[in-house]
Amino acid sequence: MSSSAERSARRGALIVVEGLDRAGKSSQCEMLQTYLAERGHDVKYIRFPDRTTPIGKLIDAYLRGSADQNDHSIHLLFSANRWELAKSMQRDIAAGISIVVDRYSYSGAVYSAAKANPTLSLDWAWQPEIGLPQPDLCLFLNISTEAAAQRGGFGEERYENEKMQTRVREIFRALFDRQDKVCVIDAGRALDEVAKDVHIAVEKCFVNSSRNEPLGTLGPLAPRAGSVPSLS
Ligand code: Z5A
Ligand code: MG
């Protein structure tokens, strides 16, 4: 742990938590926020979609099935919902505040691409994310579709069915093949066991020298190729 003087001289870290539905993202984000705050870090927890903004309200109505949207329009609304917060995230990070983010651009690209709309590929879906704040670490909470389906609340919103979730899993895999700074965590275990691995990965990120550099921005996807990180 660094001294408070060292901490205040460094920018905050941007930590993203991703995963399938019911993988425990929100539970782990809350636990991580508490963990970091107890260790003296300034930390905020935000989630996407942020359903409180005017754009977020449109997204909420779509997800609950009370309003419809064309695939491309809803995709761009999800992205706009992140752009709404981009400046304030950058300001917080520069001021030494770390941010734990519950879903981000990765969900944005993957869920839209999983609709198998021939004019909405993963590459197309990634385009509006380019230029958003670049996470220092993306934790992917990995869980089988069957185990996720057994957890509370599954099946209430638009994408919560096994067919969609299976496609989402495959496309997350394809996307993370083209990203670095991704850490895959087995989320099929007890809350505390998952939290332990989350905290280890975040501690490593906190000592990483990349935080001496200004926060970056998301770039284009790397070309397809290379090894696939194991999600099974
Ligand atoms: N979406 C999109 O299309 N485009 C975008 O750009 C973005 C999102 C950002 C809503 O997201 C939908 O929006 C989502 C993707 C799409 N679609 N789907 N499907 P959301 O984040 O608002 O969804 P949510 O309602 O918060 O569900 P969730 O995030 O999938 O759940 P979670 O956060 O991963 O899990 P949790 O709330 O922490 O836990 C769920 C339950 O499991 C709860 O009862 C816990 O007590 C339990 N739990 C958690 N961990 C454990 C462990 N380890 N053991 C046992 N039980 C556990
Ligand atoms: Mg959640």
Side-chain angles (χ1 to χ4, degrees), residues 21-27 45 47-48 102-103:
D21 272 41
R22 303 299 180 262
K25 297 176 296 298
S26 300
S27 306
Y45 165 31
R47 58 186 299 174
F48 292 111
D102 191 344
R103 291 197 190 272

Side-chain angles (χ1 to χ4, degrees), residues 12-70:
L14 184 57
I15 311 289
V16 165
V17 178
E18 282 283 5
L20 293 174
D21 272 41
R22 303 299 180 262
K25 297 176 296 298
S26 300
S27 306
Q28 291 300 329
C29 284
E30 282 167 28
M31 290 166 81
L32 178 58
Q33 182 187 27
T34 304
Y35 175 86
L36 292 174
E38 283 174 357
R39 279 152 188 80
H41 296 282
D42 283 334
V43 58
K44 283 186 180 176
Y45 165 31
I46 62 172
R47 58 186 299 174
F48 292 111
D50 175 351
R51 303 186 193 219
T52 64
T53 70
I55 291 172
K57 290 189 170 76
L58 294 173
I59 294 172
D60 184 56
Y62 172 81
L63 286 172
R64 291 176 189 275
S66 62
D68 215 353
Q69 293 271 354
N70 153 289

